[in-house]
Amino acid sequence: MFRKVLFSVAASLAMAVIVTTAVAYKVPDEIVLERPKGNEPLATWVKEVKFAHGFHAIRVPCQKCHHKESDKTLGEFVACRQCHSADNPKDKTGFYRAWHSEGAPSCLGCHTQRRAAGGDNPVGCTTACHKPG
Amino acid sequence: MPNSNRFDTLKMMAGTEKPSRRDFMKFCGTMAAFIGMGPAFAPKVAHALAGKKRPSVIYMHGAECTGCTEALLRAYQPYFDEIIMNTISLDYCETVMASAGQAAHAALEKAMKNPEGYVCVIEGGIPTYHGGEYGKVGGETMFQLFARVAAKANATIAMGSCACFGGIQAAAPNPSGAKGTNDALKAVGVNAINIAGCPPNPMNFVGTVVHLLTKGMPELDAWNRPKMFYGDTVHDHCPRQEHFNRGEFAPDFESDEAKKGWCLYQLGCKGPYTYNNCPTSLFNEVNWPVQAGAPCIGCSEPNFWDDYSPFFHPIEDGPET
């Protein structure tokens, strides 16, 4: 009997360790959205965006923004700029459009849609993302 | 000159001369390009428009200012009368029809019995409070009448921001409970194409009709607006964008900077959040607000008015800042 209990405790402990290792990955709180190397900024006054990643991570499913990722790549998600790197603002998959196209996963698209549906999501260039200073 | 074939059109309407084939094909070419097809698509447009049976259109007016009809009346290439004479059969439209009263209503009932079906265009918000008694046509509420007409239509087009999203009628406190077409008439299975704007560019309406006639349903965005016209923001194609990029903002409408054509963002321009083709297609190919020195007010977006006012202050900044 004692052996059985010991075994089940050990088994559940082992399971717990396996599960924690599987889901133990860091979800960054604040990240700076960096420009891909060699990409020229469109505007001279626009600074790097400090993105409240943690704030969004607890409100939106990861795959809503990391749209090419799956459960298999959990914890190894790549940065947006890895794919959305083109310089041209008119390029639909370029760096600029990654943040400024209609609808999710783009920041502006998601915010405008949620705002129109009654949300208080900020959309202003200088009030939402490109904050001065 | 835009008016070059105006006289010819009048002569044609008087029955003295047929419209020139060359002018017609020119329009078809323009329209093919406008809906995103190459010039080779022009004959297909011509075939659809010159068909013997013109599609019947019922144009309903709800809670509105008739500004969208006024915009459409000023459409050229083709002129509105040409659209009526050549392209569509406008069987009911309170603004331009000659008959009135019971005769007009009889025309509506007759058009609805058309065995070929019809396209329903709705302009204006639909008052819904108290059974919709804030707006009536011929003793019937707009809510009920529009539901009756749109439910049986082959396709429904909501013309203008009031018909799309409620517009100014739905602005707070919205005493009549005005709603957009899709919002109000969802229960009767209406799924209208939204031609948003206050007013929308008439070419967006004509282009959508041509697309429906030639290629069927256009691709729509999350708010049911055709992507070919509402796919990019006003900011994306704004001629003042280079000033935005350089951080050159006009501080005042009277300032030298405004006269030099600097960016109007700090004067309340909503271009970065507004999806429309104003800068590329222009109104009647002449001008558009930002080019004329007025900021974009976001008129083609849902919640236009409440979310986008005050007009001359940046979004999210109150008038006191």
Side-chain angles (χ1 to χ4, degrees), chain B:
Chain B
M1 275 291 289
N3 285 340
S4 60
N5 68 351
R6 182 66 176 157
F7 189 61
D8 298 341
T9 312
L10 288 173
K11 279 196 289 186
M12 177 205 84
M13 287 176 70
T16 53
E17 201 174 305
K18 282 188 173 176
S20 131
R21 175 83 184 156
R22 180 175 293 187
D23 282 346
F24 179 65
M25 285 313 291
K26 200 174 137 199
F27 158 66
C28 293
T30 314
M31 198 36 77
F34 193 67
I35 62 172
M37 307 306 294
F41 196 69
K44 211 166 178 188
V45 173
H47 179 76
L49 297 186
K52 278 189 183 144
K53 202 79 189 162
R54 293 172 295 156
S56 165
V57 173
I58 298 180
Y59 199 113
M60 306 302 296
H61 291 264
E64 41 87 331
C65 68
T66 317
C68 301
T69 309
E70 291 291 340
L72 199 55
L73 290 174
R74 279 153 188 77
Y76 83 98
Q77 280 187 351
Y79 289 103
F80 188 67
D81 41 22
E82 284 176 80
I83 303 174
I84 301 174
M85 303 295 282
N86 295 342
T87 313
I88 61 170
S89 166
L90 191 65
D91 291 333
Y92 182 83
C93 176
E94 287 150 21
T95 311
V96 297
M97 66 199 300
S99 56
Q102 284 172 343
H105 216 67
L108 172 65
E109 297 295 339
K110 191 181 162 206
M112 281 174 63
K113 292 195 181 79
N114 187 343
E116 309 271 320
Y118 56 87
V119 174
C120 173
V121 182
I122 292 179
E123 177 182 331
I126 305 175
T128 57
Y129 284 172
H130 302 137
E133 68 173 9
Y134 293 97
K136 285 185 175 177
V137 182
E140 197 174 359
T141 64
M142 290 168 176
F143 196 11
Q144 194 181 347
L145 180 64
F146 290 9
R148 205 153 61 82
V149 177
K152 283 207 271 171
N154 292 341
T156 306
I157 299 176
M159 177 71 173
S161 285
C162 298
C164 297
F165 312 116
I168 187 171
Q169 270 65 237
N174 192 4
S176 67
K179 286 181 177 176
T181 304
N182 285 340
D183 219 6
L185 306 181
K186 207 191 303 168
V188 290
V190 172
N191 187 24
I193 301 172
N194 286 335
I195 309 295
C198 187
N201 193 321
M203 289 294 269
N204 292 0
F205 173 77
V206 179
T208 305
V209 172
V210 168
H211 199 285
L212 279 171
L213 292 177
T214 52
K215 298 183 70 204
M217 195 61 134
E219 194 188 349
L220 305 177
D221 72 1
W223 302 107
N224 267 20
R225 299 176 295 194
K227 270 194 177 175
M228 55 187 169
F229 308 132
Y230 299 91
D232 290 335
T233 63
V234 167
H235 178 78
D236 283 338
H237 300 282
C238 182
R240 294 185 190 228
Q241 201 203 77
E242 55 185 275
H243 294 288
F244 177 94
N245 293 344
R246 286 202 290 268
E248 294 172 349
F249 301 107
D252 193 85
F253 286 114
E254 302 293 319
S255 63
D256 284 344
E257 288 85 349
K259 283 173 195 152
K260 276 192 261 173
W262 281 22
C263 175
L264 301 170
Y265 178 69
Q266 285 179 356
L267 292 171
C269 185
K270 311 294 188 295
Y273 334 110
T274 305
Y275 291 85
N276 210 334
N277 62 349
C278 308
T280 47
S281 69
L282 308 177
F283 281 82
N284 294 338
E285 293 180 30
V286 176
N287 208 347
W288 69 291
V290 171
Q291 196 171 309
C296 167
I297 57 173
C299 72
S300 58
E301 291 301 300
N303 287 1
F304 161 64
W305 210 267
D306 286 350
D307 276 2
Y308 292 83
S309 55
F311 291 153
F312 302 136
H313 292 270
I315 204 161
E316 287 151 23
D317 287 350
E320 70 280 354
T321 52

